[in-house]
Amino acid sequence: MRSKFVALLMGCVLTVSLLTGCGNGEADETSTPDAGESAENTGTGADGDESGDGAASAASDLKIAIVCDESGQNDNGYNQSAVEGAKECADTMGAEYKVVEPTESIGNTLSILAEDGFNLIFSMAYDFDALVNGEAGAAPIAEQYPDTVFVVFNATPNVDEAGAAIHNNVISVLYNVNESSYLAGALSVLVNENADVLLGDGYDLTSPEEARALGFIGATDSDGITVFGVGFVEGAQHVAEELGVTYDYYSKYDAGFADTAGGSNVAGTYYGNGANVVYTVAGSVGDGVASKAKEVKKLAVHVDANKDAQQPGYILTSVTKNTKVVVKTLAEAYAGGTIMDMDKIQVYDLASGATSVTDLATFSAALETTDEAKAKWDEILAYVADLEAKIGDGTIKVTNKQNGDSFDEASCPNINFK
């Protein structure tokens, strides 16, 4: 998945679109080179002369738009990472970019952007009907703008019943977050079972003799969210079965993406029920969960970006879903003229580096400094690394709800689904 990005030189002028502003009251963010910017953004070579680079000429129309979901561009994760990718494309390739936090329907937003000439549009929201199927009697947006490439995430809405792509200009991006969530679930049980050795007075965890429980909070009951929860619970099942223990599992799949206080309240309930770790896949809702974890001295698992330092020592790990990698990869493909030839479903796995758990350095710094704690932590790290290797070579198969895999709760006999 990883590739070297070509340095492309171009000049571009932004036409102000009809789209309006961000939830924070600011205008939509755009990048338009002006006379004072670097050579890379003005279409000239490093010495100030015209480059004459054929690749730069071929990419001279590249205009990238990022359409955020309701978490917004400053979510320190899924949306922000995509914006950073667009900014890097502006810096290294001379691309023009625009960031939109929609104040109207996603369909209208996509239409206006396409009409304004944005030809590579990343839609971060879980809203695909107008794009793929059309709404209110209108033709699908993808059909109306066949020269615009639309990129959607965490679902495959552009596939017919026979499994064929409906529109050639819609690309679905999937992350094998089932795999990284599996590692997070296994790690959660391992830490919970060894907390008395690993963690000191800064924590108030429920003893396994009193209760064993985990929590999961998802934004929506969709395959793009349940894929995290199923992977997480299967990882927990793997370790619980080996240890001969049983865990209660509390879950919620309608938390939305923005209700930070609501996330804190739900997490508080789960912690009160004996859960020592709560995993949240719900945008800014996870920030409320992380704050609650620190307040009650328990643990959280965050998502999208490395947010371990948000509440140091109380975020066990973050399951990363790096949208920057995707934006840069597809921008390169567009500039190189190959994007229409790509598979319409692009999958990023553990090996791609676009999804993983964090290196755990922040949590490691909060552990007890005893020899016993160090030895146990090294053992846990080695165990998780072995799981990752087994997932990579196919020894361990993790259910992938995004691909239509079915999940039967009976396959996790060491988990009590609440």
Side-chain angles (χ1 to χ4, degrees), residues 183-184 186-187 190 357 360 379-389:
L183 299 181
L187 178 66
L190 288 166
V357 291
L360 302 172
E379 179 185 321
I380 289 172
L381 293 179
Y383 185 97
V384 173
D386 181 62
L387 289 182
E388 182 171 0

Side-chain angles (χ1 to χ4, degrees), residues 18-19 69 85 103 219 275 290 307 339 352 356 363 369 383 413:
L18 299 177
L19 294 169
D69 68 16
T103 57
K307 301 180 182 179
I339 195 165
S352 75
S356 184
F363 185 71
T369 57
Y383 185 97

Side-chain angles (χ1 to χ4, degrees), residues 16 39 80 96 129 155 185 195 199 223 241 295:
V16 178
Q80 186 172 325
E96 178 182 336
D129 281 349
L199 301 174
D223 289 345
E241 184 176 19
E295 176 187 330

Side-chain angles (χ1 to χ4, degrees), residues 237 241 245-247 409-417:
Q237 162 65 30
E241 184 176 19
V245 297
T246 300
Y247 272 73
E409 291 182 356
S411 66
C412 296
N414 294 77
I415 305 295
N416 294 321
F417 293 86

